[in-house]
Amino acid sequence: MSNHLDLHLTARGYLIDFLVTNTAPSVDQQELREVLLFLNNLITFDEINLMKEDVEGI
């Protein structure tokens, strides 16, 4: 499972990099926040499912 967790940390790192590089005044900050929140929720949901699979032994 550690490989999967590393992947989630990598994905979150990309989200942070994306946020840092898209803070120009021309970027709609509210829309950017919503997209980042959505992506973070997807990563978290996937992470929870992987943990459940490990616990259930699937």
Side-chain angles (χ1 to χ4, degrees), residues 51-58:
M51 286 182 202
K52 284 168 63 175
E53 288 178 4
D54 282 349
V55 168
E56 294 171 357
I58 295 176

Side-chain angles (χ1 to χ4, degrees), residues 6-57:
D6 291 344
L7 181 61
H8 291 102
L9 292 174
T10 301
R12 285 196 174 93
Y14 282 124
L15 286 180
I16 292 168
D17 290 345
F18 179 76
L19 177 62
V20 168
T21 59
N22 287 285
T23 54
S26 61
V27 174
D28 181 346
Q29 296 299 310
Q30 182 61 35
E31 186 175 276
L32 180 60
R33 277 189 217 92
E34 290 175 14
V35 168
L36 289 173
L37 180 61
F38 177 76
L39 292 173
N40 187 60
N41 288 342
L42 285 177
I43 293 167
T44 301
F45 181 73
D46 188 49
E47 196 171 28
I48 290 169
N49 283 334
L50 287 171
M51 286 182 202
K52 284 168 63 175
E53 288 178 4
D54 282 349
V55 168
E56 294 171 357

